[in-house]
Amino acid sequence: MKSKIVYQCTNCGATFPRWVGKCPNCGEWNTLEEVFVSEEEKRKKSRGKTQTSSLVPINAIQVQEYFRFPTNIKEVDRVLGGGLLPSSIILFSGEPGIGKSTLMLQILDSIDTESIYVSGEESPEQIKLRAERIGIKSNKIFVTNDSQLETITTLIEQHSANIIVIDSIQAVYSAEIPSPPGSVFQVRNATNQLMEISKKQDKIIILVGHINKEGNIAGPKVLEHIVDAVLMLEGEKNSNIRMLRALKNRFGSTLEIGLFEMCGNGLIELTDPNKIFISQSSIKSSGTTFSAVVEGARCLIIEIQSLVSPSSYGVPQRNVNGYDFKRLQMILAVLDKKLGLNIRQNDIFVNITGGMFIYDTGLDLAIASSLVSSLNDFVIPYEIGIIGEIGLTGEVRAVSSIEKRVNEMEKLGFKRIILPRRSESDFSAKRKKHLLFVEKISEAFDIIFHL
Ligand code: TYD
Ligand code: MG
């Protein structure tokens, strides 16, 4: 049989006919190695298997109602859409130290079925110490710290456990692949093999994955396409608040979030988050505004704090916690150009209190107001709520679920609420009394700063 030499990247597994210093696929240096591929094998691969298939009319396909395993942690089930589905594979990611292993153990403790916890990063003693700290009671969790793929797959195949957590997928390696653990090649291979077992034996497999510097799930973005759901645990530095989001969910919505607080004995569910997001101390200072954002079925009241002060260096400083930096730059540009405020040469700090990252542009107008409040050292009365997105021409644009936001603000005692003119028709005349509809930012500022 004739053999041919190709060059394969030990990091991502891509093959090339010629050797190059830098892998054109993943950009790693010096990772290409010679491998022999027989001509016959190559031809077989390119031909693929010949199988007969049949076509089914789309409306004749029967949809099965699947049983889900509720995790019995309300905030997790909310994000999952009710629980874990058999034969699904989930990627659970987050930065190191955010609380992934903690939440995994808590889920395995409260779910009512046998599970295997594969920890390639910690010894059984370390796992036990964490388990004691969070008060694990279940006797249905089986632990191993093996990290060789072949041993893990055998364990899974032979055990009756329904749920398997691999903590982390970057620590798992196959002895048959020369690349180091954590490389794209290893991670992808392990995921594919685990996926096969999951589908064949109806197992739920959760892969814990670290995030790299760029915020990607370390190594392969490709994993996101293979798995059924991608969950992410997030939190700002210096805050105990943790958010669980679904970036992808084949079996449910991606809009819901789960909220937790990291305490001395694990993650505690936050059932009344608004208490946390509003810090009572800052109510009477300039630079503070309040708004409402919608995350799935839940509406949260958000407090924004800004500090605008003359810059002592040539290049003014910018720092934003909990909101998109580019969005802040846009708001500043609009305030500068459309309202003639000389705000951009100042140092600017913006903070969403409570340590949550908000993606909702309905916060724009409240951020702009908070900046101007700090710039002019003007205290906005506590009972004013501000909702609206800012457009490039200085207009206040409508946002989704406006009624829900207004209801929540009213519930918390906000007496006057500023909101986009376009939403006026959504409210009855009786309710409109304390709602102030605006079309432009300048109108909003006229109301807020000339009360
Ligand atoms: P961990 O779950 O190990 O994070 P990850 O698996 O994402 O790397 O959690 C690490 C941090 O959480 C660590 O800094 C200690 C803290 N922690 C608590 O505050 N309370 C607890 O009950 C536990 C178990 C951890
Ligand atoms: Mg961990």
Side-chain angles (χ1 to χ4, degrees):
M1 205 184 283
K2 255 175 97 182
S3 277
K4 191 180 171 213
I5 294 172
V6 294
Y7 296 88
Q8 185 164 41
C9 173
T10 53
N11 185 44
C12 70
T15 53
F16 306 95
R18 238 165 276 111
W19 190 89
V20 277
K22 184 182 174 185
C23 171
N25 190 44
C26 66
E28 284 292 315
W29 286 91
N30 283 330
T31 51
L32 262 56
E33 278 182 3
E34 247 179 45
V35 287
F36 294 92
V37 184
S38 86
E39 291 284 346
E40 181 60 18
E41 216 174 279
K42 232 182 130 191
R43 241 176 281 135
K44 255 194 223 157
K45 254 192 197 164
S46 64
R47 262 190 260 130
K49 285 183 199 144
T50 42
Q51 277 182 346
T52 48
S53 184
S54 59
L55 292 168
V56 186
I58 192 160
N59 42 15
I61 300 171
Q62 302 281 330
V63 180
Q64 251 178 290
E65 213 15 82
Y66 288 104
F67 165 78
R68 286 176 192 256
F69 284 102
T71 64
N72 300 319
I73 300 178
K74 242 167 78 193
E75 296 295 296
V76 176
D77 286 337
R78 179 204 292 277
V79 177
L80 287 170
L84 294 162
L85 269 175
S87 62
S88 64
I89 186 151
I90 294 170
L91 181 62
F92 178 52
S93 63
E95 287 178 18
I98 200 82
K100 298 182 294 298
S101 306
T102 308
L103 186 58
M104 279 299 109
L105 273 182
Q106 287 185 261
I107 290 176
L108 297 186
D109 185 40
S110 72
I111 205 161
D112 192 20
T113 184
E114 279 186 347
S115 58
I116 300 178
Y117 182 75
V118 182
S119 173
E121 296 184 348
E122 287 165 301
S123 65
E125 292 78 35
Q126 281 172 306
I127 300 165
K128 177 74 185 164
L129 281 177
R130 182 187 287 110
E132 271 175 3
R133 189 169 171 188
I134 53 188
I136 297 287
K137 287 177 215 77
S138 170
N139 54 2
K140 293 182 181 170
I141 309 175
F142 299 89
V143 176
T144 167
N145 69 336
D146 224 306
S147 47
Q148 189 175 329
L149 180 66
E150 290 72 21
T151 342
I152 296 170
T153 49
T154 318
L155 271 176
I156 300 173
E157 278 166 340
Q158 289 171 354
H159 200 280
S160 58
N162 284 312
I163 302 178
I164 295 97
V165 171
I166 312 280
D167 191 357
S168 68
I169 186 67
Q170 277 108 346
V172 175
Y173 70 94
S174 161
E176 287 160 20
I177 294 175
S179 21
S183 65
V184 183
F185 203 11
Q186 284 283 11
V187 169
R188 196 165 47 185
N189 173 60
T191 306
N192 280 329
Q193 296 216 24
L194 290 164
M195 173 116 116
E196 230 167 79
I197 301 177
S198 146
K199 303 291 171 218
K200 225 172 17 193
Q201 300 200 350
D202 272 357
K203 308 253 183 196
I204 298 165
I205 300 187
I206 305 178
L207 309 173
V208 176
H210 296 302
I211 285 194
N212 61 14
K213 281 187 273 6
E214 293 84 40
N216 294 328
I217 294 154
K221 262 283 193 199
V222 283
L223 275 198
E224 293 188 22
H225 303 290
I226 306 174
V227 297
D228 297 307
V230 181
L231 302 185
M232 174 95 102
L233 191 64
E234 300 174 335
E236 292 285 307
K237 272 180 230 142
N238 313 324
S239 162
N240 288 336
I241 307 293
R242 301 283 181 267
M243 278 145 288
L244 184 68
R245 290 181 197 273
L247 303 186
K248 165 181 173 177
N249 191 356
R250 243 176 226 164
F251 317 111
S253 140
T254 52
L255 295 172
E256 297 295 341
I257 58 164
L259 287 170
F260 302 89
E261 187 177 4
M262 181 60 98
C263 299
N265 53 349
L267 288 153
I268 311 277
E269 296 178 76
L270 275 187
T271 38
D272 189 7
N274 287 333
K275 269 193 197 142
I276 307 264
F277 294 129
I278 300 180
S279 70
Q280 302 295 320
S281 60
S282 59
I283 283 167
K284 289 224 153 37
S285 66
S286 65
T288 300
T289 52
F290 296 90
S291 190
V293 298
V294 172
E295 296 278 359
R298 178 146 61 186
C299 183
L300 303 170
I301 303 299
I302 298 292
E303 177 182 344
I304 300 139
Q305 294 181 344
S306 292
L307 186 66
V308 179
S309 68
S311 177
S312 32
Y313 300 102
V315 184
Q317 286 193 67
R318 298 274 182 274
N319 198 335
V320 54
N321 279 323
Y323 206 57
D324 183 24
F325 184 75
K326 287 203 180 113
R327 195 85 204 159
L328 173 69
Q329 298 279 47
M330 188 280 280
I331 296 171
L332 291 172
V334 172
L335 290 180
D336 237 35
K337 180 96 182 165
K338 297 290 166 191
L339 284 105
L341 296 169
N342 263 338
I343 194 166
R344 280 210 293 181
Q345 76 262 24
N346 292 288
D347 286 342
I348 288 169
F349 306 92
V350 176
N351 189 24
I352 308 292
T353 66
M356 186 151 170
F357 195 98
I358 306 291
Y359 297 93
D360 190 334
T361 50
L363 223 57
D364 286 354
L365 187 59
I367 289 183
S369 309
S370 136
L371 290 165
V372 175
S373 157
S374 175
L375 179 74
N376 298 335
D377 211 8
F378 181 100
V379 181
I380 301 175
Y382 170 60
E383 75 270 12
I384 295 185
I386 305 168
I387 305 167
E389 180 181 310
I390 288 179
L392 292 182
T393 61
E395 82 272 25
V396 176
R397 299 168 63 94
V399 294
S400 64
S401 315
I402 189 76
E403 251 195 290
K404 206 182 223 172
R405 299 181 200 234
V406 169
N407 288 346
E408 194 66 28
M409 294 211 98
E410 284 174 345
K411 241 194 273 167
L412 280 176
F414 286 86
K415 300 267 179 342
R416 273 168 293 182
I417 300 165
I418 295 174
L419 61 166
R421 167 89 58 210
R422 287 284 294 276
S423 311
E424 199 167 354
S425 53
D426 295 343
F427 297 91
S428 65
K430 204 175 137 215
R431 286 194 67 185
K432 274 182 201 164
K433 264 190 218 153
H434 59 282
L435 302 182
L436 304 157
F437 298 95
V438 296
E439 210 161 315
K440 291 181 169 294
I441 308 175
S442 53
E443 268 177 71
F445 285 179
D446 274 346
I447 300 172
I448 299 169
F449 299 108
H450 299 104
L451 285 164

